[in-house]
Amino acid sequence: MGRTFACSDLHGMYELYKKVCDFLQPDDTVYFLGDAIDRGPDSWGLFKEIINNPQWIFLKGNHEDMFANAIKEYYCNDERPGDAWYLSEYNGGGHTLADWMADGAYKDWVGVIDELPDLKTYYNNIGDAILLSHAGFTPNAFGVLDITNRELIWNRSHFNDTWADGNDDIYIIHGHTPVALI
């Protein structure tokens, strides 16, 4: 049985992805917690590589969400950019959108992105539940999740929340929000 890792927010850093892949053993698994695209030099190539790598389980991040919304709006506006397109560009997605257009696969990718999960549960070898998402969240009593899909990819308001009793064996791993120290 292989090892299990989590990784998030590579943002087009293909060379960093390759270093992670070089570190992995053939039976290892990586939960990728979203944001393969935007900002970095090879966002679109990295996105396609992670999607097609069977060792990597791709969860949707807010940048994939913005990108999919931009594509949908583009087709609803007779192939003209609109607000979602400009939001994606403003958040570092200009090169991603350009590379997507040059790729020629257009609408095919909307369904792929829409089907990405926004929450996965992994159980470690002692039975602890490890919840994985792009953005963090706080479980309520007994681990019941009262959270929307949007919060799972956009939330940043959970850091000072108090966890309800009964959640001692639940762990949450996420990306999205840079922190100085862990």
Short mmCIF file of all heavy atoms in Angstrom, two decimals, residues 117-169:
data_model
loop_
_atom_site.label_atom_id
_atom_site.label_comp_id
_atom_site.label_asym_id
_atom_site.label_seq_id
_atom_site.Cartn_x
_atom_site.Cartn_y
_atom_site.Cartn_z
N PRO A 117 -14.67 16.96 -7.92
CA PRO A 117 -15.24 17.00 -6.57
C PRO A 117 -14.71 18.22 -5.81
O PRO A 117 -13.63 18.73 -6.12
CB PRO A 117 -14.75 15.70 -5.94
CG PRO A 117 -13.49 15.37 -6.66
CD PRO A 117 -13.69 15.88 -8.08
N ASP A 118 -15.48 18.68 -4.84
CA ASP A 118 -14.99 19.77 -3.99
C ASP A 118 -14.73 19.31 -2.57
O ASP A 118 -14.26 20.07 -1.74
CB ASP A 118 -15.94 20.97 -4.01
CG ASP A 118 -17.38 20.58 -3.83
OD1 ASP A 118 -17.65 19.57 -3.16
OD2 ASP A 118 -18.24 21.28 -4.38
N LEU A 119 -14.98 18.03 -2.28
CA LEU A 119 -14.72 17.46 -0.96
C LEU A 119 -14.45 15.97 -1.11
O LEU A 119 -15.18 15.27 -1.83
CB LEU A 119 -15.92 17.67 -0.03
CG LEU A 119 -15.81 17.09 1.37
CD1 LEU A 119 -14.74 17.81 2.18
CD2 LEU A 119 -17.16 17.19 2.09
N LYS A 120 -13.41 15.50 -0.46
CA LYS A 120 -13.09 14.07 -0.41
C LYS A 120 -12.77 13.72 1.03
O LYS A 120 -12.27 14.55 1.79
CB LYS A 120 -11.88 13.72 -1.28
CG LYS A 120 -12.13 13.70 -2.76
CD LYS A 120 -12.83 12.43 -3.13
CE LYS A 120 -12.86 12.23 -4.62
NZ LYS A 120 -13.48 10.97 -4.98
N THR A 121 -13.07 12.48 1.41
CA THR A 121 -12.71 11.99 2.73
C THR A 121 -11.73 10.84 2.57
O THR A 121 -11.95 9.92 1.79
CB THR A 121 -13.94 11.49 3.50
OG1 THR A 121 -14.89 12.56 3.59
CG2 THR A 121 -13.57 11.06 4.91
N TYR A 122 -10.65 10.93 3.30
CA TYR A 122 -9.63 9.89 3.33
C TYR A 122 -9.55 9.39 4.77
O TYR A 122 -9.59 10.19 5.71
CB TYR A 122 -8.28 10.48 2.88
CG TYR A 122 -7.09 9.61 3.18
CD1 TYR A 122 -6.81 8.50 2.39
CD2 TYR A 122 -6.26 9.89 4.25
CE1 TYR A 122 -5.72 7.70 2.66
CE2 TYR A 122 -5.16 9.09 4.53
CZ TYR A 122 -4.90 8.00 3.74
OH TYR A 122 -3.83 7.20 4.01
N TYR A 123 -9.47 8.09 4.96
CA TYR A 123 -9.31 7.52 6.29
C TYR A 123 -7.88 6.98 6.42
O TYR A 123 -7.46 6.16 5.61
CB TYR A 123 -10.33 6.40 6.53
CG TYR A 123 -11.73 6.93 6.60
CD1 TYR A 123 -12.53 6.98 5.46
CD2 TYR A 123 -12.25 7.43 7.79
CE1 TYR A 123 -13.82 7.49 5.51
CE2 TYR A 123 -13.54 7.95 7.85
CZ TYR A 123 -14.31 7.97 6.71
OH TYR A 123 -15.58 8.49 6.76
N ASN A 124 -7.17 7.48 7.43
CA ASN A 124 -5.80 7.01 7.61
C ASN A 124 -5.80 5.61 8.21
O ASN A 124 -6.85 5.03 8.47
CB ASN A 124 -4.97 8.01 8.43
CG ASN A 124 -5.45 8.15 9.86
OD1 ASN A 124 -6.22 7.35 10.38
ND2 ASN A 124 -4.97 9.19 10.52
N ASN A 125 -4.61 5.07 8.46
CA ASN A 125 -4.50 3.67 8.89
C ASN A 125 -5.00 3.41 10.31
O ASN A 125 -5.11 2.26 10.72
CB ASN A 125 -3.08 3.14 8.71
CG ASN A 125 -2.05 3.96 9.47
OD1 ASN A 125 -2.38 4.90 10.17
ND2 ASN A 125 -0.80 3.61 9.29
N ILE A 126 -5.33 4.45 11.07
CA ILE A 126 -5.93 4.25 12.40
C ILE A 126 -7.40 4.68 12.43
O ILE A 126 -8.02 4.74 13.48
CB ILE A 126 -5.12 4.94 13.52
CG1 ILE A 126 -5.00 6.44 13.29
CG2 ILE A 126 -3.76 4.30 13.66
CD1 ILE A 126 -4.39 7.20 14.45
N GLY A 127 -7.95 4.97 11.26
CA GLY A 127 -9.38 5.24 11.16
C GLY A 127 -9.80 6.69 11.32
O GLY A 127 -11.00 6.98 11.33
N ASP A 128 -8.85 7.60 11.43
CA ASP A 128 -9.21 9.02 11.52
C ASP A 128 -9.71 9.51 10.16
O ASP A 128 -9.15 9.16 9.12
CB ASP A 128 -8.00 9.87 11.92
CG ASP A 128 -7.52 9.60 13.33
OD1 ASP A 128 -8.35 9.22 14.18
OD2 ASP A 128 -6.31 9.77 13.58
N ALA A 129 -10.77 10.31 10.20
CA ALA A 129 -11.29 10.91 8.98
C ALA A 129 -10.49 12.16 8.65
O ALA A 129 -10.33 13.05 9.49
CB ALA A 129 -12.76 11.27 9.15
N ILE A 130 -10.00 12.22 7.43
CA ILE A 130 -9.28 13.39 6.96
C ILE A 130 -10.09 13.95 5.80
O ILE A 130 -10.24 13.31 4.77
CB ILE A 130 -7.85 13.03 6.53
CG1 ILE A 130 -7.10 12.43 7.73
CG2 ILE A 130 -7.13 14.26 5.98
CD1 ILE A 130 -5.78 11.81 7.40
N LEU A 131 -10.66 15.13 6.03
CA LEU A 131 -11.49 15.79 5.02
C LEU A 131 -10.60 16.72 4.21
O LEU A 131 -9.83 17.51 4.77
CB LEU A 131 -12.61 16.57 5.70
CG LEU A 131 -13.50 15.73 6.63
CD1 LEU A 131 -14.49 16.62 7.36
CD2 LEU A 131 -14.23 14.66 5.85
N LEU A 132 -10.71 16.61 2.90
CA LEU A 132 -9.86 17.38 2.00
C LEU A 132 -10.74 18.27 1.12
O LEU A 132 -11.71 17.81 0.53
CB LEU A 132 -9.05 16.42 1.13
CG LEU A 132 -8.16 15.46 1.92
CD1 LEU A 132 -8.38 14.05 1.47
CD2 LEU A 132 -6.72 15.86 1.81
N SER A 133 -10.37 19.53 1.04
CA SER A 133 -11.07 20.48 0.18
C SER A 133 -10.10 21.59 -0.19
O SER A 133 -9.02 21.69 0.37
CB SER A 133 -12.31 21.06 0.89
OG SER A 133 -11.92 21.86 1.98
N HIS A 134 -10.52 22.43 -1.12
CA HIS A 134 -9.66 23.54 -1.49
C HIS A 134 -9.61 24.58 -0.37
O HIS A 134 -8.54 25.01 0.05
CB HIS A 134 -10.13 24.19 -2.80
CG HIS A 134 -9.25 25.34 -3.18
ND1 HIS A 134 -7.93 25.17 -3.53
CD2 HIS A 134 -9.49 26.67 -3.25
CE1 HIS A 134 -7.39 26.36 -3.79
NE2 HIS A 134 -8.32 27.28 -3.63
N ALA A 135 -10.77 25.01 0.09
CA ALA A 135 -10.84 26.00 1.17
C ALA A 135 -11.21 25.27 2.46
O ALA A 135 -11.86 24.24 2.45
CB ALA A 135 -11.88 27.06 0.85
N GLY A 136 -10.81 25.81 3.57
CA GLY A 136 -11.10 25.19 4.85
C GLY A 136 -12.52 25.46 5.30
O GLY A 136 -13.23 26.29 4.74
N PHE A 137 -12.92 24.75 6.33
CA PHE A 137 -14.27 24.89 6.87
C PHE A 137 -14.27 24.32 8.28
O PHE A 137 -13.30 23.72 8.72
CB PHE A 137 -15.29 24.17 5.99
CG PHE A 137 -14.97 22.72 5.79
CD1 PHE A 137 -15.50 21.75 6.64
CD2 PHE A 137 -14.14 22.31 4.76
CE1 PHE A 137 -15.20 20.42 6.46
CE2 PHE A 137 -13.83 20.98 4.57
CZ PHE A 137 -14.36 20.03 5.43
N THR A 138 -15.36 24.50 8.98
CA THR A 138 -15.49 24.00 10.34
C THR A 138 -16.67 23.04 10.41
O THR A 138 -17.79 23.43 10.09
CB THR A 138 -15.72 25.17 11.32
OG1 THR A 138 -14.63 26.08 11.18
CG2 THR A 138 -15.79 24.67 12.75
N PRO A 139 -16.44 21.79 10.83
CA PRO A 139 -17.57 20.87 10.99
C PRO A 139 -18.37 21.26 12.23
O PRO A 139 -17.84 21.81 13.18
CB PRO A 139 -16.90 19.51 11.17
CG PRO A 139 -15.55 19.81 11.71
CD PRO A 139 -15.17 21.17 11.17
N ASN A 140 -19.67 20.97 12.21
CA ASN A 140 -20.47 21.23 13.40
C ASN A 140 -20.52 19.97 14.26
O ASN A 140 -19.67 19.09 14.11
CB ASN A 140 -21.86 21.76 13.02
CG ASN A 140 -22.67 20.80 12.20
OD1 ASN A 140 -22.39 19.62 12.14
ND2 ASN A 140 -23.70 21.30 11.55
N ALA A 141 -21.46 19.84 15.13
CA ALA A 141 -21.52 18.73 16.07
C ALA A 141 -21.43 17.38 15.35
O ALA A 141 -22.12 17.16 14.35
CB ALA A 141 -22.80 18.80 16.89
N PHE A 142 -20.57 16.53 15.83
CA PHE A 142 -20.39 15.16 15.35
C PHE A 142 -19.94 15.11 13.89
O PHE A 142 -20.20 14.15 13.19
CB PHE A 142 -21.65 14.33 15.57
CG PHE A 142 -22.15 14.44 16.99
CD1 PHE A 142 -23.31 15.13 17.26
CD2 PHE A 142 -21.41 13.90 18.03
CE1 PHE A 142 -23.75 15.26 18.57
CE2 PHE A 142 -21.85 14.04 19.34
CZ PHE A 142 -23.02 14.72 19.62
N GLY A 143 -19.28 16.14 13.44
CA GLY A 143 -18.69 16.14 12.12
C GLY A 143 -19.64 16.38 10.97
O GLY A 143 -19.24 16.33 9.82
N VAL A 144 -20.91 16.63 11.26
CA VAL A 144 -21.87 16.87 10.18
C VAL A 144 -21.49 18.16 9.47
O VAL A 144 -21.25 19.19 10.10
CB VAL A 144 -23.31 16.96 10.73
CG1 VAL A 144 -24.28 17.33 9.63
CG2 VAL A 144 -23.70 15.65 11.38
N LEU A 145 -21.42 18.09 8.18
CA LEU A 145 -21.02 19.26 7.42
C LEU A 145 -22.24 20.06 7.00
O LEU A 145 -23.12 19.55 6.33
CB LEU A 145 -20.24 18.84 6.17
CG LEU A 145 -18.96 18.08 6.44
CD1 LEU A 145 -18.32 17.67 5.13
CD2 LEU A 145 -18.00 18.88 7.27
N ASP A 146 -22.27 21.27 7.44
CA ASP A 146 -23.34 22.18 7.04
C ASP A 146 -22.68 23.29 6.24
O ASP A 146 -22.52 24.41 6.70
CB ASP A 146 -24.04 22.73 8.29
CG ASP A 146 -25.23 23.59 7.94
OD1 ASP A 146 -25.74 23.48 6.81
OD2 ASP A 146 -25.63 24.40 8.80
N ILE A 147 -22.26 22.93 5.03
CA ILE A 147 -21.44 23.84 4.23
C ILE A 147 -21.82 23.67 2.77
O ILE A 147 -22.18 22.58 2.32
CB ILE A 147 -19.94 23.55 4.47
CG1 ILE A 147 -19.07 24.61 3.84
CG2 ILE A 147 -19.56 22.17 4.01
CD1 ILE A 147 -17.66 24.60 4.36
N THR A 148 -21.77 24.75 2.05
CA THR A 148 -22.12 24.71 0.63
C THR A 148 -20.89 24.38 -0.21
O THR A 148 -19.75 24.54 0.23
CB THR A 148 -22.68 26.07 0.17
OG1 THR A 148 -21.62 27.05 0.25
CG2 THR A 148 -23.87 26.50 1.03
N ASN A 149 -21.14 23.96 -1.43
CA ASN A 149 -20.04 23.68 -2.36
C ASN A 149 -19.21 24.94 -2.59
O ASN A 149 -18.00 24.87 -2.71
CB ASN A 149 -20.59 23.17 -3.69
CG ASN A 149 -21.27 21.83 -3.53
OD1 ASN A 149 -21.83 21.53 -2.48
ND2 ASN A 149 -21.25 21.03 -4.57
N ARG A 150 -19.88 26.09 -2.65
CA ARG A 150 -19.15 27.35 -2.85
C ARG A 150 -18.18 27.62 -1.71
O ARG A 150 -17.05 28.05 -1.93
CB ARG A 150 -20.14 28.50 -3.01
CG ARG A 150 -19.47 29.83 -3.27
CD ARG A 150 -20.44 30.85 -3.85
NE ARG A 150 -19.83 32.13 -4.01
CZ ARG A 150 -18.97 32.46 -4.97
NH1 ARG A 150 -18.63 31.57 -5.87
NH2 ARG A 150 -18.46 33.67 -5.05
N GLU A 151 -18.62 27.35 -0.47
CA GLU A 151 -17.73 27.56 0.67
C GLU A 151 -16.53 26.62 0.62
O GLU A 151 -15.44 27.00 1.05
CB GLU A 151 -18.50 27.36 1.98
CG GLU A 151 -19.48 28.48 2.27
CD GLU A 151 -20.33 28.18 3.49
OE1 GLU A 151 -20.97 27.11 3.51
OE2 GLU A 151 -20.34 29.03 4.40
N LEU A 152 -16.71 25.42 0.10
CA LEU A 152 -15.62 24.46 0.03
C LEU A 152 -14.50 24.91 -0.90
O LEU A 152 -13.37 24.41 -0.81
CB LEU A 152 -16.14 23.09 -0.42
CG LEU A 152 -16.97 22.35 0.62
CD1 LEU A 152 -17.69 21.17 -0.01
CD2 LEU A 152 -16.11 21.90 1.78
N ILE A 153 -14.80 25.83 -1.81
CA ILE A 153 -13.74 26.32 -2.70
C ILE A 153 -13.40 27.79 -2.49
O ILE A 153 -12.38 28.25 -3.00
CB ILE A 153 -14.08 26.05 -4.18
CG1 ILE A 153 -15.35 26.73 -4.61
CG2 ILE A 153 -14.13 24.56 -4.46
CD1 ILE A 153 -15.65 26.60 -6.09
N TRP A 154 -14.19 28.54 -1.73
CA TRP A 154 -13.95 29.97 -1.56
C TRP A 154 -13.76 30.44 -0.11
O TRP A 154 -13.26 31.53 0.12
CB TRP A 154 -15.13 30.77 -2.15
CG TRP A 154 -15.12 30.80 -3.64
CD1 TRP A 154 -15.82 29.97 -4.48
CD2 TRP A 154 -14.40 31.70 -4.49
NE1 TRP A 154 -15.57 30.29 -5.79
CE2 TRP A 154 -14.71 31.35 -5.83
CE3 TRP A 154 -13.53 32.75 -4.24
CZ2 TRP A 154 -14.15 32.03 -6.91
CZ3 TRP A 154 -13.00 33.43 -5.34
CH2 TRP A 154 -13.31 33.06 -6.64
N ASN A 155 -14.15 29.67 0.88
CA ASN A 155 -14.20 30.12 2.27
C ASN A 155 -12.82 30.49 2.83
O ASN A 155 -11.84 29.78 2.64
CB ASN A 155 -14.82 29.00 3.13
CG ASN A 155 -15.04 29.43 4.56
OD1 ASN A 155 -15.05 30.61 4.89
ND2 ASN A 155 -15.24 28.45 5.42
N ARG A 156 -12.78 31.61 3.56
CA ARG A 156 -11.59 32.01 4.30
C ARG A 156 -11.95 32.47 5.71
O ARG A 156 -11.13 33.03 6.40
CB ARG A 156 -10.87 33.14 3.57
CG ARG A 156 -10.07 32.69 2.38
CD ARG A 156 -9.03 33.73 1.98
NE ARG A 156 -8.09 33.16 1.06
CZ ARG A 156 -7.96 33.55 -0.20
NH1 ARG A 156 -8.71 34.50 -0.69
NH2 ARG A 156 -7.06 32.98 -0.98
N SER A 157 -13.18 32.22 6.13
CA SER A 157 -13.64 32.79 7.39
C SER A 157 -13.61 31.81 8.56
O SER A 157 -14.10 32.11 9.62
CB SER A 157 -15.08 33.31 7.22
OG SER A 157 -15.95 32.22 6.95
N HIS A 158 -13.01 30.65 8.41
CA HIS A 158 -13.10 29.58 9.39
C HIS A 158 -11.96 29.53 10.41
O HIS A 158 -12.02 28.78 11.36
CB HIS A 158 -13.15 28.24 8.67
CG HIS A 158 -11.88 27.98 7.92
ND1 HIS A 158 -11.62 28.59 6.72
CD2 HIS A 158 -10.80 27.23 8.22
CE1 HIS A 158 -10.42 28.21 6.31
NE2 HIS A 158 -9.91 27.39 7.19
N PHE A 159 -10.94 30.32 10.26
CA PHE A 159 -9.73 30.15 11.05
C PHE A 159 -9.92 30.31 12.56
O PHE A 159 -9.24 29.68 13.34
CB PHE A 159 -8.62 31.08 10.56
CG PHE A 159 -7.99 30.59 9.29
CD1 PHE A 159 -8.34 31.15 8.07
CD2 PHE A 159 -7.08 29.55 9.30
CE1 PHE A 159 -7.77 30.68 6.89
CE2 PHE A 159 -6.51 29.07 8.14
CZ PHE A 159 -6.86 29.65 6.94
N ASN A 160 -10.84 31.15 12.98
CA ASN A 160 -11.05 31.38 14.40
C ASN A 160 -12.28 30.66 14.94
O ASN A 160 -12.70 30.91 16.07
CB ASN A 160 -11.13 32.88 14.70
CG ASN A 160 -9.82 33.57 14.38
OD1 ASN A 160 -8.75 33.07 14.72
ND2 ASN A 160 -9.89 34.71 13.72
N ASP A 161 -12.87 29.77 14.15
CA ASP A 161 -14.05 29.03 14.60
C ASP A 161 -13.69 28.03 15.70
O ASP A 161 -12.58 27.50 15.75
CB ASP A 161 -14.67 28.23 13.44
CG ASP A 161 -15.33 29.11 12.41
OD1 ASP A 161 -15.45 30.33 12.65
OD2 ASP A 161 -15.71 28.58 11.35
N THR A 162 -14.64 27.79 16.56
CA THR A 162 -14.51 26.76 17.58
C THR A 162 -15.20 25.50 17.10
O THR A 162 -16.33 25.55 16.63
CB THR A 162 -15.17 27.23 18.90
OG1 THR A 162 -14.54 28.45 19.30
CG2 THR A 162 -15.01 26.18 19.98
N TRP A 163 -14.52 24.38 17.21
CA TRP A 163 -15.10 23.12 16.78
C TRP A 163 -16.02 22.58 17.86
O TRP A 163 -15.72 22.68 19.05
CB TRP A 163 -14.01 22.10 16.51
CG TRP A 163 -13.31 22.29 15.21
CD1 TRP A 163 -13.04 23.48 14.59
CD2 TRP A 163 -12.79 21.28 14.38
NE1 TRP A 163 -12.37 23.26 13.42
CE2 TRP A 163 -12.21 21.91 13.27
CE3 TRP A 163 -12.76 19.91 14.46
CZ2 TRP A 163 -11.60 21.20 12.25
CZ3 TRP A 163 -12.14 19.20 13.44
CH2 TRP A 163 -11.58 19.85 12.34
N ALA A 164 -17.11 21.99 17.45
CA ALA A 164 -18.05 21.36 18.39
C ALA A 164 -17.41 20.12 18.99
O ALA A 164 -16.56 19.47 18.38
CB ALA A 164 -19.34 21.00 17.66
N ASP A 165 -17.83 19.77 20.20
CA ASP A 165 -17.38 18.52 20.83
C ASP A 165 -17.74 17.34 19.94
O ASP A 165 -18.75 17.36 19.24
CB ASP A 165 -18.03 18.35 22.20
CG ASP A 165 -17.52 19.36 23.22
OD1 ASP A 165 -16.40 19.89 23.01
OD2 ASP A 165 -18.24 19.62 24.20
N GLY A 166 -16.93 16.32 19.98
CA GLY A 166 -17.20 15.11 19.20
C GLY A 166 -16.45 15.07 17.89
O GLY A 166 -16.60 14.14 17.12
N ASN A 167 -15.61 16.06 17.61
CA ASN A 167 -14.87 16.12 16.35
C ASN A 167 -13.37 15.89 16.53
O ASN A 167 -12.57 16.29 15.70
CB ASN A 167 -15.10 17.46 15.66
CG ASN A 167 -16.50 17.61 15.15
OD1 ASN A 167 -17.07 16.64 14.66
ND2 ASN A 167 -17.08 18.79 15.27
N ASP A 168 -12.99 15.22 17.62
CA ASP A 168 -11.58 15.04 17.92
C ASP A 168 -10.85 14.16 16.91
O ASP A 168 -9.63 14.23 16.80
CB ASP A 168 -11.41 14.46 19.32
CG ASP A 168 -11.88 15.42 20.40
OD1 ASP A 168 -11.98 16.63 20.12
OD2 ASP A 168 -12.17 14.95 21.51
N ASP A 169 -11.57 13.32 16.20
CA ASP A 169 -10.92 12.43 15.24
C ASP A 169 -11.16 12.85 13.79
O ASP A 169 -11.06 12.06 12.87
CB ASP A 169 -11.36 10.98 15.45
CG ASP A 169 -12.85 10.78 15.25
OD1 ASP A 169 -13.58 11.79 15.18
OD2 ASP A 169 -13.28 9.62 15.15
#
